[in-house]
Amino acid sequence: MTLPLVLVLNGPNLDRLGTRQPEVYGRTTLGELEALLAGRGAGLGLAVECVQSKDADGLIRALAERRPAAVVINPASLTHHSFPLRDALAACGAPVWEVHLSNIHAREPFRRRSLVSPIARGVVCGFGPAGYIAALEAAAAWLAAVAKEGDG
């Protein structure tokens, strides 16, 4: 049996987690976060694949190549200006959950505008790595509900 794929996408600078502005983004590294997500995903009956890219093209390519059942994304700075990424997410056919480690609404005004939020099933911000887990669990619940409807 093939497990549903949840694609976790991370935008620019998230490869520097743990060292870049730890007072804002915390000390958890991207590798630690990815291991946490893989473990929780396995417990939820999901295959989790994580992709980090410094640009929208890498994230868009990952969406097109993998065709996930669900997407969890921290678009980072692409949140505010990448229309191509927003369009690719909207067109991929999978539900999307947007995640931000920090509370973007308590930061600079330009960070409060997200191009992704209007197409996302949910948005989690300000909870650090726990926000990713919340989004992954929401994706698992949504996928289970859809599967149950298909069985009925």
Side-chain angles (χ1 to χ4, degrees):
M1 178 174 127
T2 303
L3 298 177
L5 173 63
V6 176
L7 186 59
V8 178
L9 300 175
N10 283 293
N13 294 317
L14 288 165
D15 57 324
R16 298 174 56 210
L17 282 179
T19 58
R20 177 181 173 249
Q21 293 181 276
E23 69 281 3
V24 175
Y25 302 110
R27 298 206 178 277
T28 302
T29 67
L30 183 60
E32 292 167 340
L33 177 61
E34 290 174 345
L36 179 70
L37 290 165
R40 185 64 187 124
L44 294 166
L46 301 171
V48 174
E49 184 177 347
C50 299
V51 175
Q52 189 277 328
S53 179
K54 296 180 187 314
D55 58 39
D57 290 347
L59 301 178
I60 293 167
R61 194 170 15 267
L63 274 171
E65 291 171 356
R66 277 120 175 135
R67 300 190 184 265
V71 177
V72 172
I73 183 169
N74 182 341
S77 62
L78 300 172
T79 303
H80 322 293
H81 66 82
S82 182
F83 289 97
L85 178 59
R86 180 251 180 246
D87 289 349
L89 289 164
C92 78
V96 174
W97 283 266
E98 180 181 4
V99 176
H100 297 280
L101 293 161
S102 67
N103 180 354
I104 61 174
H105 302 289
R107 298 184 63 198
E108 303 90 340
F110 77 89
R111 294 188 192 275
R112 298 176 192 151
R113 176 176 174 253
S114 170
L115 298 174
V116 176
S117 293
I119 61 163
R121 293 194 67 82
V123 179
V124 183
C125 67
F127 293 98
Y132 282 83
I133 297 297
L136 185 63
E137 290 175 350
W142 186 87
L143 290 168
V146 167
K148 186 176 181 179
E149 286 175 11
D151 291 340

mmCIF file of all heavy atoms in Angstrom, residues 75 77-87 89-90 98 100 112-120:
data_model
loop_
_atom_site.group_PDB
_atom_site.id
_atom_site.type_symbol
_atom_site.label_atom_id
_atom_site.label_comp_id
_atom_site.label_asym_id
_atom_site.label_seq_id
_atom_site.Cartn_x
_atom_site.Cartn_y
_atom_site.Cartn_z
ATOM 1 N N PRO A 75 6.618 29.425 2.755
ATOM 2 C CA PRO A 75 7.193 30.083 1.587
ATOM 3 C C PRO A 75 8.276 31.101 1.931
ATOM 4 O O PRO A 75 8.938 31.609 1.037
ATOM 5 C CB PRO A 75 6.001 30.761 0.919
ATOM 6 C CG PRO A 75 4.841 30.595 1.817
ATOM 7 C CD PRO A 75 5.239 29.774 2.989
ATOM 8 N N SER A 77 10.223 34.343 2.397
ATOM 9 C CA SER A 77 10.049 35.644 1.744
ATOM 10 C C SER A 77 9.212 35.567 0.472
ATOM 11 O O SER A 77 8.668 36.579 0.028
ATOM 12 C CB SER A 77 11.415 36.257 1.428
ATOM 13 O OG SER A 77 12.126 35.438 0.523
ATOM 14 N N LEU A 78 9.061 34.369 -0.099
ATOM 15 C CA LEU A 78 8.218 34.211 -1.292
ATOM 16 C C LEU A 78 6.738 34.430 -0.959
ATOM 17 O O LEU A 78 5.928 34.650 -1.861
ATOM 18 C CB LEU A 78 8.423 32.832 -1.905
ATOM 19 C CG LEU A 78 9.848 32.513 -2.359
ATOM 20 C CD1 LEU A 78 9.972 31.054 -2.765
ATOM 21 C CD2 LEU A 78 10.278 33.435 -3.484
ATOM 22 N N THR A 79 6.407 34.377 0.318
ATOM 23 C CA THR A 79 5.037 34.602 0.794
ATOM 24 C C THR A 79 4.454 35.884 0.230
ATOM 25 O O THR A 79 3.290 35.938 -0.143
ATOM 26 C CB THR A 79 5.027 34.714 2.339
ATOM 27 O OG1 THR A 79 5.594 33.540 2.896
ATOM 28 C CG2 THR A 79 3.638 34.954 2.890
ATOM 29 N N HIS A 80 5.281 36.909 0.166
ATOM 30 C CA HIS A 80 4.809 38.264 -0.082
ATOM 31 C C HIS A 80 4.869 38.704 -1.539
ATOM 32 O O HIS A 80 4.273 39.714 -1.886
ATOM 33 C CB HIS A 80 5.632 39.244 0.769
ATOM 34 C CG HIS A 80 5.952 38.710 2.118
ATOM 35 N ND1 HIS A 80 4.974 38.484 3.073
ATOM 36 C CD2 HIS A 80 7.115 38.286 2.662
ATOM 37 C CE1 HIS A 80 5.550 37.978 4.154
ATOM 38 N NE2 HIS A 80 6.836 37.833 3.927
ATOM 39 N N HIS A 81 5.575 37.942 -2.397
ATOM 40 C CA HIS A 81 5.764 38.469 -3.755
ATOM 41 C C HIS A 81 5.766 37.431 -4.874
ATOM 42 O O HIS A 81 5.829 37.819 -6.039
ATOM 43 C CB HIS A 81 7.055 39.294 -3.820
ATOM 44 C CG HIS A 81 8.294 38.484 -3.620
ATOM 45 N ND1 HIS A 81 8.880 37.771 -4.622
ATOM 46 C CD2 HIS A 81 9.034 38.250 -2.508
ATOM 47 C CE1 HIS A 81 9.943 37.154 -4.156
ATOM 48 N NE2 HIS A 81 10.055 37.418 -2.871
ATOM 49 N N SER A 82 5.680 36.143 -4.573
ATOM 50 C CA SER A 82 5.806 35.166 -5.654
ATOM 51 C C SER A 82 4.445 34.722 -6.189
ATOM 52 O O SER A 82 3.856 33.750 -5.704
ATOM 53 C CB SER A 82 6.611 33.948 -5.224
ATOM 54 O OG SER A 82 6.732 33.073 -6.332
ATOM 55 N N PHE A 83 3.986 35.422 -7.204
ATOM 56 C CA PHE A 83 2.752 35.028 -7.867
ATOM 57 C C PHE A 83 2.894 33.681 -8.578
ATOM 58 O O PHE A 83 1.963 32.874 -8.557
ATOM 59 C CB PHE A 83 2.274 36.120 -8.833
ATOM 60 C CG PHE A 83 1.761 37.335 -8.118
ATOM 61 C CD1 PHE A 83 2.584 38.438 -7.921
ATOM 62 C CD2 PHE A 83 0.475 37.366 -7.601
ATOM 63 C CE1 PHE A 83 2.116 39.555 -7.243
ATOM 64 C CE2 PHE A 83 -0.001 38.474 -6.923
ATOM 65 C CZ PHE A 83 0.823 39.576 -6.739
ATOM 66 N N PRO A 84 4.043 33.377 -9.184
ATOM 67 C CA PRO A 84 4.176 32.049 -9.807
ATOM 68 C C PRO A 84 4.038 30.909 -8.798
ATOM 69 O O PRO A 84 3.405 29.890 -9.096
ATOM 70 C CB PRO A 84 5.578 32.088 -10.433
ATOM 71 C CG PRO A 84 5.835 33.536 -10.683
ATOM 72 C CD PRO A 84 5.185 34.249 -9.527
ATOM 73 N N LEU A 85 4.606 31.063 -7.608
ATOM 74 C CA LEU A 85 4.471 30.023 -6.586
ATOM 75 C C LEU A 85 3.018 29.907 -6.144
ATOM 76 O O LEU A 85 2.478 28.807 -6.042
ATOM 77 C CB LEU A 85 5.374 30.313 -5.389
ATOM 78 C CG LEU A 85 5.276 29.306 -4.242
ATOM 79 C CD1 LEU A 85 5.610 27.893 -4.697
ATOM 80 C CD2 LEU A 85 6.176 29.751 -3.096
ATOM 81 N N ARG A 86 2.370 31.012 -5.926
ATOM 82 C CA ARG A 86 0.956 31.006 -5.531
ATOM 83 C C ARG A 86 0.114 30.296 -6.587
ATOM 84 O O ARG A 86 -0.720 29.450 -6.268
ATOM 85 C CB ARG A 86 0.471 32.445 -5.334
ATOM 86 C CG ARG A 86 -0.987 32.546 -4.915
ATOM 87 C CD ARG A 86 -1.776 33.098 -6.102
ATOM 88 N NE ARG A 86 -3.170 33.222 -5.756
ATOM 89 C CZ ARG A 86 -4.139 32.508 -6.322
ATOM 90 N NH1 ARG A 86 -3.890 31.642 -7.267
ATOM 91 N NH2 ARG A 86 -5.387 32.674 -5.962
ATOM 92 N N ASP A 87 0.362 30.596 -7.851
ATOM 93 C CA ASP A 87 -0.404 29.971 -8.926
ATOM 94 C C ASP A 87 -0.122 28.475 -9.020
ATOM 95 O O ASP A 87 -1.029 27.678 -9.269
ATOM 96 C CB ASP A 87 -0.109 30.660 -10.256
ATOM 97 C CG ASP A 87 -0.715 32.058 -10.341
ATOM 98 O OD1 ASP A 87 -1.525 32.424 -9.464
ATOM 99 O OD2 ASP A 87 -0.358 32.796 -11.286
ATOM 100 N N LEU A 89 0.757 26.497 -6.547
ATOM 101 C CA LEU A 89 0.072 25.873 -5.414
ATOM 102 C C LEU A 89 -1.422 25.731 -5.701
ATOM 103 O O LEU A 89 -2.020 24.694 -5.439
ATOM 104 C CB LEU A 89 0.294 26.684 -4.133
ATOM 105 C CG LEU A 89 1.700 26.617 -3.551
ATOM 106 C CD1 LEU A 89 1.911 27.749 -2.545
ATOM 107 C CD2 LEU A 89 1.948 25.261 -2.905
ATOM 108 N N ALA A 90 -2.016 26.772 -6.250
ATOM 109 C CA ALA A 90 -3.446 26.734 -6.555
ATOM 110 C C ALA A 90 -3.763 25.695 -7.622
ATOM 111 O O ALA A 90 -4.829 25.081 -7.596
ATOM 112 C CB ALA A 90 -3.920 28.121 -7.009
ATOM 113 N N GLU A 98 -0.313 26.598 5.042
ATOM 114 C CA GLU A 98 0.783 27.561 5.109
ATOM 115 C C GLU A 98 1.296 27.637 6.548
ATOM 116 O O GLU A 98 0.504 27.712 7.487
ATOM 117 C CB GLU A 98 0.280 28.937 4.656
ATOM 118 C CG GLU A 98 1.324 30.025 4.677
ATOM 119 C CD GLU A 98 0.762 31.374 4.253
ATOM 120 O OE1 GLU A 98 -0.462 31.489 4.011
ATOM 121 O OE2 GLU A 98 1.546 32.321 4.175
ATOM 122 N N HIS A 100 4.400 29.427 9.164
ATOM 123 C CA HIS A 100 5.493 30.365 9.434
ATOM 124 C C HIS A 100 5.956 30.133 10.861
ATOM 125 O O HIS A 100 5.122 30.013 11.778
ATOM 126 C CB HIS A 100 5.043 31.815 9.248
ATOM 127 C CG HIS A 100 4.629 32.111 7.842
ATOM 128 N ND1 HIS A 100 5.549 32.368 6.843
ATOM 129 C CD2 HIS A 100 3.408 32.141 7.268
ATOM 130 C CE1 HIS A 100 4.891 32.558 5.708
ATOM 131 N NE2 HIS A 100 3.594 32.423 5.937
ATOM 132 N N ARG A 112 2.955 40.952 6.653
ATOM 133 C CA ARG A 112 1.566 40.613 6.988
ATOM 134 C C ARG A 112 0.730 40.253 5.766
ATOM 135 O O ARG A 112 -0.386 39.764 5.898
ATOM 136 C CB ARG A 112 0.934 41.784 7.739
ATOM 137 C CG ARG A 112 1.659 42.041 9.040
ATOM 138 C CD ARG A 112 1.137 43.243 9.764
ATOM 139 N NE ARG A 112 2.078 43.564 10.837
ATOM 140 C CZ ARG A 112 2.266 44.772 11.311
ATOM 141 N NH1 ARG A 112 1.570 45.788 10.832
ATOM 142 N NH2 ARG A 112 3.135 44.973 12.267
ATOM 143 N N ARG A 113 1.255 40.482 4.585
ATOM 144 C CA ARG A 113 0.523 40.180 3.342
ATOM 145 C C ARG A 113 1.041 38.865 2.770
ATOM 146 O O ARG A 113 2.209 38.736 2.444
ATOM 147 C CB ARG A 113 0.734 41.294 2.326
ATOM 148 C CG ARG A 113 0.086 40.999 0.988
ATOM 149 C CD ARG A 113 0.252 42.178 0.040
ATOM 150 N NE ARG A 113 -0.244 41.826 -1.271
ATOM 151 C CZ ARG A 113 0.536 41.594 -2.320
ATOM 152 N NH1 ARG A 113 1.836 41.686 -2.229
ATOM 153 N NH2 ARG A 113 -0.001 41.281 -3.482
ATOM 154 N N SER A 114 0.151 37.917 2.647
ATOM 155 C CA SER A 114 0.524 36.625 2.089
ATOM 156 C C SER A 114 -0.280 36.367 0.826
ATOM 157 O O SER A 114 -1.502 36.487 0.815
ATOM 158 C CB SER A 114 0.242 35.502 3.093
ATOM 159 O OG SER A 114 0.387 34.246 2.473
ATOM 160 N N LEU A 115 0.432 35.967 -0.221
ATOM 161 C CA LEU A 115 -0.234 35.547 -1.448
ATOM 162 C C LEU A 115 -0.737 34.114 -1.339
ATOM 163 O O LEU A 115 -1.608 33.705 -2.102
ATOM 164 C CB LEU A 115 0.731 35.659 -2.634
ATOM 165 C CG LEU A 115 1.245 37.061 -2.952
ATOM 166 C CD1 LEU A 115 2.295 37.008 -4.050
ATOM 167 C CD2 LEU A 115 0.095 37.972 -3.340
ATOM 168 N N VAL A 116 -0.204 33.363 -0.389
ATOM 169 C CA VAL A 116 -0.556 31.950 -0.218
ATOM 170 C C VAL A 116 -1.806 31.778 0.642
ATOM 171 O O VAL A 116 -2.635 30.899 0.382
ATOM 172 C CB VAL A 116 0.639 31.163 0.363
ATOM 173 C CG1 VAL A 116 0.278 29.722 0.646
ATOM 174 C CG2 VAL A 116 1.834 31.250 -0.587
ATOM 175 N N SER A 117 -1.958 32.589 1.671
ATOM 176 C CA SER A 117 -3.075 32.420 2.617
ATOM 177 C C SER A 117 -4.447 32.295 1.956
ATOM 178 O O SER A 117 -5.234 31.440 2.372
ATOM 179 C CB SER A 117 -3.099 33.565 3.632
ATOM 180 O OG SER A 117 -1.980 33.505 4.479
ATOM 181 N N PRO A 118 -4.769 33.093 0.933
ATOM 182 C CA PRO A 118 -6.098 32.970 0.342
ATOM 183 C C PRO A 118 -6.395 31.617 -0.323
ATOM 184 O O PRO A 118 -7.557 31.274 -0.510
ATOM 185 C CB PRO A 118 -6.132 34.097 -0.696
ATOM 186 C CG PRO A 118 -5.141 35.093 -0.211
ATOM 187 C CD PRO A 118 -4.055 34.268 0.418
ATOM 188 N N ILE A 119 -5.366 30.862 -0.662
ATOM 189 C CA ILE A 119 -5.604 29.560 -1.287
ATOM 190 C C ILE A 119 -5.335 28.399 -0.329
ATOM 191 O O ILE A 119 -5.515 27.242 -0.700
ATOM 192 C CB ILE A 119 -4.759 29.389 -2.574
ATOM 193 C CG1 ILE A 119 -3.279 29.466 -2.258
ATOM 194 C CG2 ILE A 119 -5.174 30.412 -3.620
ATOM 195 C CD1 ILE A 119 -2.398 28.909 -3.343
ATOM 196 N N ALA A 120 -4.912 28.716 0.889
ATOM 197 C CA ALA A 120 -4.581 27.679 1.871
ATOM 198 C C ALA A 120 -5.817 27.243 2.640
ATOM 199 O O ALA A 120 -6.710 28.050 2.911
ATOM 200 C CB ALA A 120 -3.524 28.201 2.840
#
